[in-house]
Amino acid sequence: MFKLQNYINGELVAPNSNDYIDNYNPSTGKIYSLIPDSDSSDVKAAVKAAKHAFPKWSLTPKEKRSAIMLKIVELINKNYDKLAEAEAIDNGKPMWLAQKVDIARAASNFEFFATAILHFASEAHMMEDKYVNYTRRDPLGVVGCISPWNLPLYLFTWKIAPAIAAGNCVVAKPSEVTPMTAYLLSEICIEAGLPAGVLNIVHGLGPKVGAEISENDAICAVSFTGGTSTGAQIARVAAPKFKKLSLELGGKNPNIIFDDCDFDKMLATTMASSFANQGQICLCGSRIFVQRGIYDKFKTAFVEKVSKRRVSHSLDSNAQQGAVVSKSHMEKVLSYVELAKEEGGTVLTGGTQVHLEGEYAGGYYIRPTVIEGLSFDCRTNQEEIFGPVVTIMPFDTEEEVLMMANSTEYGLAATVWTENLTRAHRIANELDSGIVWINCWLVRDLRTPFGGTKNSGVGREGGFEALKFFTEPKNVCISVG
Ligand code: NAD
């Protein structure tokens, strides 16, 4: 059985404990590799390597850091299909999706920040002719990056790339549920000539590896993406140590459809925004509010399309939807369908496990599910499900839909469908949300701020926001009078 290894001080190494965790293929339900069950001693070794590498890396000219990162991009592109297949097998998503989204984005994350750092300028503030202020932006030192399983390499590199571009050294932990592409990235970093200790990847469980990253005094900032309760746990540990924190957390995003929308475009995009990546994207719209004038038309067309969606294993090129990431996650998602029924909901399509045949019989497949008849404030409509399950609800007025859309503890992303430009701006203004898409979904310009309000997080990633997070401003004031 293939054993993944940690990447510490430029080398691939076994965990100190020599213990391993089973890694499952969600498409088959079978164990197919072993993950280091690292502990705090492995994290400490990674921190030591990062501390040692920091002075040199932080003083390496940004053009040179950029060139090494562009070499990583080249190698990601060279290994494109291998990475996409690994991601699909590890996560359960269709391989075409890993090709189109995950690996493409991992390459562009490195490329974007390798070039962004060349344009990241200091600010200067003149005080008449007497004083000049300039603001240095220095790297922080050793930083921690912790990422989830839904977009494994995509979100891992979204943190690592700005951190190392800005001159920091990193101790990173991918999700133990989907560690494979992070392991392949360590091989790529070695081949690209990234100096030892600049990036260290420690595999293992959250309460062991993640907890040590949050706690370790030599790690001065933590960039985390994952669930809201894990984010709260990290904040409890890291905040009293005054570490910088960037927390990208859960969501329960509204998709608001007005009756004047471009119906066909809305319908096609709503299929994707509901079920892409098995509904396991923090930006998926899980609560669909439809204005009453087109509610029945939408319901009929949507349910028909959803019921035809092909669920299959990740290597089936015709799969529109793959397996959800784990058995426990499948059980959690299906338990929400039962809860929805108890809360008075009607399952219009889906709601059950899909059983494939042959070697895929043990896989974790769920039929895409549409539920109606629920109140906006029931648990099904308030709690994050993070699977291929959406609810549909009618509304009459803007005030009513805004109240329902803003009623959850979350505020990550929202989608609005209307041809009325004034209304679109008005609604965007009133939504409690870090991101609003109007007549589109998941369109990402990497320069824009990314993140949520309320319990969806603290801080923003993306563009210069990320470079600001990974640097410390220092103002220098000079008398020139
Ligand atoms: P999770 O919180 O269970 O795990 C995320 C990471 O944190 C994993 O690497 C895990 O090992 C680690 N971890 C667990 N316990 C820890 C601890 N005590 N200390 C430190 N680290 C710990 O989340 P998940 O199930 O992997 O991912 C799904 C969640 O991520 C969903 O809630 C989803 O909305 C969220 N998410 C948010 C965004 C965003 O940008 N806002 C993007 C993707 C996913």
Side-chain angles (χ1 to χ4, degrees):
M1 183 94 41
F2 181 68
K3 280 185 180 167
L4 280 74
Q5 290 182 297
N6 289 330
Y7 171 49
I8 297 176
N9 203 21
E11 289 179 353
L12 298 174
V13 292
N16 288 331
S17 65
N18 229 355
D19 291 335
Y20 288 82
I21 311 161
D22 295 334
N23 188 21
Y24 287 84
N25 175 345
S27 297
T28 63
K30 296 198 178 99
I31 298 164
Y32 83 106
S33 60
L34 296 170
I35 315 159
D37 185 7
S38 311
D39 57 31
S40 58
S41 69
D42 300 288
V43 177
K44 283 178 180 141
V47 169
K48 191 175 167 203
K51 267 174 90 170
H52 185 73
F54 177 69
K56 196 160 175 206
W57 182 247
S58 61
L59 295 175
T60 301
K62 55 188 180 314
E63 290 76 10
K64 180 135 190 243
R65 296 201 299 259
S66 174
I68 295 173
M69 291 177 69
L70 291 174
K71 181 74 186 164
I72 294 174
V73 176
E74 195 186 310
L75 292 171
I76 290 176
N77 287 330
K78 192 173 151 200
N79 291 285
Y80 204 89
D81 288 339
K82 180 180 169 189
L83 287 163
E85 188 174 344
E87 198 73 294
I89 290 172
D90 217 25
N91 174 278
K93 66 182 74 198
M95 183 168 158
W96 61 262
L97 185 66
Q99 284 169 326
K100 194 171 149 210
V101 177
D102 298 74
I103 308 309
R105 208 11 227 287
S108 55
N109 285 342
F110 271 107
E111 188 168 25
F112 178 84
F113 285 107
T115 49
I117 196 63
L118 305 177
H119 304 274
F120 187 48
S122 310
E123 287 183 328
H125 299 91
M126 313 301 164
M127 297 169 72
E128 285 109 26
D129 287 335
K130 292 193 176 127
Y131 301 95
V132 176
N133 293 274
Y134 66 92
T135 310
R136 293 175 59 92
R137 281 261 164 203
D138 297 317
L140 301 173
V142 180
V143 300
C145 298
I146 304 176
S147 61
W149 49 254
N150 63 323
L151 298 163
L153 194 63
Y154 176 138
L155 291 175
F156 199 52
T157 54
W158 184 228
K159 298 180 178 307
I160 290 168
I164 65 175
N168 301 283
C169 292
V170 176
V171 177
K173 181 198 141 10
S175 169
E176 63 275 27
V177 186
T178 52
M180 191 56 89
T181 48
Y183 170 73
L184 297 174
L185 178 68
S186 47
E187 291 185 340
I188 283 174
C189 289
I190 292 169
E191 193 180 340
L194 188 69
V198 171
L199 171 63
N200 303 273
I201 300 176
V202 186
H203 294 272
L205 301 172
K208 283 161 113 178
V209 176
E212 177 63 29
I213 291 175
S214 316
E215 210 169 316
N216 192 295
D217 288 329
I219 295 181
C220 51
V222 178
S223 174
F224 168 79
T225 298
T228 294
S229 60
T230 314
Q233 172 58 23
I234 290 172
R236 266 193 290 278
V237 175
K241 296 186 176 232
F242 306 111
K243 296 187 184 205
K244 262 184 133 175
L245 279 176
S246 167
L247 303 172
E248 300 298 336
L249 311 175
K252 188 74 180 175
N253 307 315
N255 177 3
I256 302 172
I257 301 168
F258 285 96
D259 55 14
D260 68 345
C261 69
D262 176 336
F263 191 86
D264 293 340
K265 186 177 173 201
M266 174 279 296
L267 189 65
T269 307
T270 295
M271 284 297 291
S273 67
S274 304
F275 301 116
N277 203 38
Q278 299 66 250
Q280 302 167 141
I281 302 181
C282 53
L283 305 165
C284 279
S286 53
R287 297 177 295 147
I288 306 178
F289 299 102
V290 189
Q291 207 165 17
R292 205 171 299 275
I294 57 163
Y295 184 82
D296 287 337
K297 180 181 172 190
F298 171 80
K299 174 175 149 181
T300 308
F302 187 55
V303 169
E304 194 198 335
K305 249 176 140 46
V306 175
S307 60
K308 288 186 184 146
R309 197 168 162 83
R310 184 177 157 84
V311 180
S312 187
H313 62 87
S314 52
L315 302 182
D316 177 348
S317 55
N318 292 319
Q320 290 172 303
Q321 194 175 297
V324 297
V325 79
S326 67
K327 186 162 186 282
S328 60
H329 191 57
M330 176 177 72
E331 286 163 356
K332 177 195 147 181
V333 173
L334 290 174
S335 78
Y336 269 102
V337 176
E338 292 313 306
L339 174 69
K341 289 185 205 159
E342 283 164 27
E343 290 182 318
T346 304
V347 176
L348 300 175
T349 183
T352 53
Q353 192 181 345
V354 179
H355 296 281
L356 300 188
E357 290 183 349
E359 65 172 308
Y360 301 104
Y364 316 132
Y365 303 94
I366 299 177
R367 258 177 248 288
T369 303
V370 182
I371 302 170
E372 77 164 350
L374 290 168
S375 66
F376 75 93
D377 57 355
C378 67
R379 279 185 56 205
T380 310
N381 271 327
Q382 293 289 315
E383 296 175 15
E384 186 182 46
I385 300 174
F386 213 55
V389 176
V390 295
T391 61
I392 60 172
M393 284 164 275
F395 72 90
D396 292 298
T397 65
E398 282 180 26
E399 293 71 26
E400 182 193 11
V401 78
L402 276 168
M403 181 276 293
M404 295 193 288
N406 287 339
S407 68
T408 73
E409 67 179 75
Y410 299 108
L412 186 54
T415 308
V416 181
W417 292 93
T418 178
E419 292 294 293
N420 179 332
L421 183 65
T422 317
R423 169 153 69 193
H425 286 295
R426 195 164 53 229
I427 298 284
N429 216 19
E430 296 294 325
L431 281 165
D432 281 341
S433 183
I435 300 159
V436 179
W437 279 295
I438 295 169
N439 298 330
C440 58
W441 177 72
L442 207 66
V443 177
R444 292 283 296 121
D445 179 326
L446 303 192
R447 293 170 299 181
T448 60
F450 179 89
T453 64
K454 301 196 279 187
N455 289 2
S456 288
V458 179
R460 292 291 182 275
E461 298 186 297
F464 291 157
E465 298 280 340
L467 293 176
K468 281 184 179 167
F469 174 77
F470 284 117
T471 52
E472 191 75 72
K474 181 196 283 176
N475 193 66
V476 180
C477 181
I478 310 165
S479 168
V480 291

